[in-house]
Amino acid sequence: MITGGIQRDPIPDVTIMVQRGRGAAGGGELEDLYLGMEDRARLERMLGYPRLALTARLHDGPWWELDTWHPCCDPRIPLREREPARSVGCSPGDARLPWVSNALKWHMAMLLESGTLTWTTLTNQRSSSLLRFARWLETLPDPAAVIQDASRIGVFAAGFRRWTLEPANRSSVNRPPETVNTRKINIDLRAVS
């Protein structure tokens, strides 16, 4: 962090935030710690990579069980030798339905490990398309019906296509595009087929 042309160590800032939080909590234990939104955002930005790396290092199961994948933090993620997107992460655990989240993580991991997909393809297109599909499933009264009745798969595919045509459904951020490109719709359909 640079202030007035002098580079400062961010650790004292964390200490100040913790002290401020402990004071607001009445001097209680750290579990009672409350940080304001600004302080929390600064702390999360500062600890983002170390937190992901520590989580990956301490996780005993397969790498794909984690909710957030980042090759810089987890060397177990299979990459090509000269992977252009190795500094990009993805979060298949963002799907809110637990069974969908687990299915997405397993599916994408198997495609990566088999060499069917590269990390660049996964992070540029496939991940966002599958997370969009997960958001569509959340809108259904019975999301499990999509996988229970194979005879109705065409009806569900048409419903997903109609849903993805809406610009408001194209982005997880609050800035939907004005129009929807047909190519992007096809990418979404190809990802879930």
Side-chain angles (χ1 to χ4, degrees), residues 17-53:
M17 287 188 295
V18 170
Q19 292 297 335
R20 197 180 309 155
R22 288 193 74 195
E29 295 298 320
L30 283 179
E31 63 191 40
D32 296 332
L33 177 68
Y34 172 77
L35 296 175
M37 291 303 286
E38 256 181 61
D39 292 336
R40 181 179 298 274
R42 285 179 53 211
L43 191 57
E44 285 176 359
R45 273 194 311 273
M46 189 173 68
L47 298 177
Y49 281 119
R51 179 184 54 84
L52 290 173

Side-chain angles (χ1 to χ4, degrees), residues 132-166:
R132 202 171 353 271
F133 179 68
R135 283 201 330 264
W136 172 72
L137 285 174
E138 293 168 15
T139 66
L140 300 178
D142 181 18
V146 172
I147 59 171
Q148 290 173 346
D149 189 2
S151 65
R152 296 184 55 211
I153 202 71
V155 174
F156 288 119
F160 177 59
R161 184 178 190 287
R162 280 191 303 276
W163 186 84
T164 58
L165 281 170
E166 291 295 320

Side-chain angles (χ1 to χ4, degrees), residues 47-122:
L47 298 177
Y49 281 119
R51 179 184 54 84
L52 290 173
L54 186 60
T55 302
R57 179 69 178 108
L58 295 175
H59 182 68
D60 291 332
W63 62 270
W64 53 267
E65 289 179 345
L66 297 171
D67 288 338
T68 302
W69 302 346
H70 209 297
C72 292
C73 300
D74 193 348
R76 301 175 298 171
I77 297 173
L79 298 175
R80 295 179 289 183
E81 187 177 324
R82 298 177 60 83
E83 181 63 59
R86 75 175 51 242
S87 63
V88 178
C90 76
S91 300
D94 284 352
R96 291 188 207 130
L97 296 171
W99 64 271
V100 174
S101 174
N102 291 336
L104 290 180
K105 289 189 276 189
W106 181 84
H107 173 70
M108 289 193 286
M110 295 305 110
L111 291 174
L112 268 177
E113 288 181 347
S114 69
T116 305
L117 277 187
T118 64
W119 183 255
T120 300
T121 304
L122 182 104

